[in-house]
Amino acid sequence: MQDSTPYVVGIDVGGTKTHLRALAGGESLVDRVSSSAGWRPHEPGGAAGRLAALVRDALPADARPSAVAVGGHACETPRQCEAIRAALQERLGVPALVVGDAELLVPAAGLDKGVGLVAGTGSVAVGRLPDGGPVQIGGWGAVLGDEGGAAGLVREAARAVWAAHDRGEEPDALATGLVAAFGVAEVPALGAALEAATDVSAEWGRHSPVVFAAAEAGSPLARAVIDDGGRALASLVVRLAGRGVAVDDVVVAGGTVLAQPALYEAFTSALAESLPAARPQPLRVPPVEGAVALARSLL
């Protein structure tokens, strides 16, 4: 006999891990974390098949979900998300919703509207227009953007030490830290080391602690890189406001900005200067809570 209990399923597909949570009657029945390896949001059929398999594996054999909502890493446009949603709904036969993973932050914080700002390996800000249309600012990857994210901070730190080298300055704590982190002999060799990366965001981003350590050691270059990163994050919110998005509440998440008080303080200071009425707040619950809230809204 098939279980008639309504199972609400939320899924947060991040860059490295996928978090699925299933609830029935308000009680958490399943809480499962797995690798995001193989997640390809630019292949809607394959992405939907992966999500459907996750749901089937997580729920009891005789159960079906009543609604499923997904926040997907690198699901960057409404058209892309809709293609995955349609394919997922066809496979599961229940209401489904697919959004970018940053869109989980506002509902996870228990808010109806606002901005979701993520600064982890990369950086992105999202919000919605008064008519409900989604807007994404940033998220262009470490080569072109992601200012204020881990990889972007390392890129800008390298630029700062190169400029100091060209001015004839002696290497400071930031320069020596980057040289050691990338395993090269001197500052000029950093360029080849950065260009040799096969996974630019991950390989650059893992060295971001060097920037913060150098700032604590007194490097003015590192301090400037962090301050610029904070201003860059604030500018993402400013651009959303310019597009007509309500920015009264800004929910902040990401392993870089929340783990590094210097960056968070640089961001909030810059935001207060540009948008004094905006209220930044760090997300205190897993983003998957936002996926669960969105799934409930489908019922």
Side-chain angles (χ1 to χ4, degrees):
M1 180 177 179
Q2 184 160 299
D3 189 346
S4 61
T5 304
Y7 290 79
V8 175
V9 180
I11 305 174
D12 172 24
V13 185
T16 58
K17 66 180 182 179
T18 295
H19 192 175
L20 180 148
R21 184 167 290 179
L23 285 76
E27 180 180 353
S28 179
L29 300 177
V30 179
D31 196 81
R32 181 176 297 181
V33 177
S34 59
S35 171
S36 294
W39 170 249
R40 296 182 177 84
H42 296 284
E43 301 173 5
R50 176 184 175 84
L51 293 168
L54 284 173
V55 173
R56 294 189 182 106
D57 290 345
L59 297 186
D62 59 350
R64 291 183 62 200
S66 56
V68 178
V70 180
H73 173 71
C75 192
E76 297 164 339
T77 68
R79 181 176 181 178
Q80 183 185 10
C81 291
E82 171 57 23
I84 300 173
R85 184 210 66 78
L88 179 62
Q89 185 162 304
E90 181 179 358
R91 282 167 171 77
L92 295 178
V94 299
L97 176 66
V98 177
V99 297
D101 57 347
E103 288 203 52
L104 301 183
L105 306 189
V106 169
L111 301 171
D112 294 326
K113 61 181 180 178
V115 171
L117 173 71
V118 179
T121 301
S123 63
V124 67
V126 299
R128 289 192 173 264
L129 298 170
D131 65 4
V135 181
Q136 174 177 310
I137 303 294
W140 293 104
V143 174
L144 297 177
D146 280 355
E147 293 87 350
L153 289 169
V154 171
R155 182 193 64 231
E156 295 308 307
R159 289 171 59 90
V161 301
W162 288 333
H165 175 81
D166 287 347
R167 292 192 297 268
E169 299 174 9
E170 288 296 317
D172 76 345
L174 181 60
T176 57
L178 287 176
V179 164
F182 280 94
V184 296
E186 55 186 346
V187 167
L190 284 170
L194 268 69
E195 289 178 353
T198 55
D199 183 345
V200 169
S201 291
E203 293 177 40
W204 293 2
R206 71 168 179 257
H207 298 306
S208 64
V210 169
V211 181
F212 297 98
E216 291 181 5
S219 166
L221 294 179
R223 183 68 255 180
V225 168
I226 294 168
D227 288 344
D228 287 346
R231 283 190 286 271
L233 294 176
S235 74
L236 298 179
V237 183
V238 172
R239 288 179 218 164
L240 283 173
R243 296 278 298 274
V245 172
V247 299
D248 301 280
D249 291 289
V250 181
V251 184
V252 184
T256 300
V257 69
L258 295 188
Q260 300 291 350
L263 180 61
Y264 188 80
E265 290 167 10
F267 159 67
T268 55
S269 295
L271 186 66
E273 291 179 6
S274 301
L275 295 170
R279 298 181 294 267
Q281 59 174 289
L283 184 65
R284 300 300 189 188
V285 300
V288 73
E289 288 286 346
V292 171
L294 291 176
R296 283 176 170 156
S297 72
L298 299 175
L299 298 176

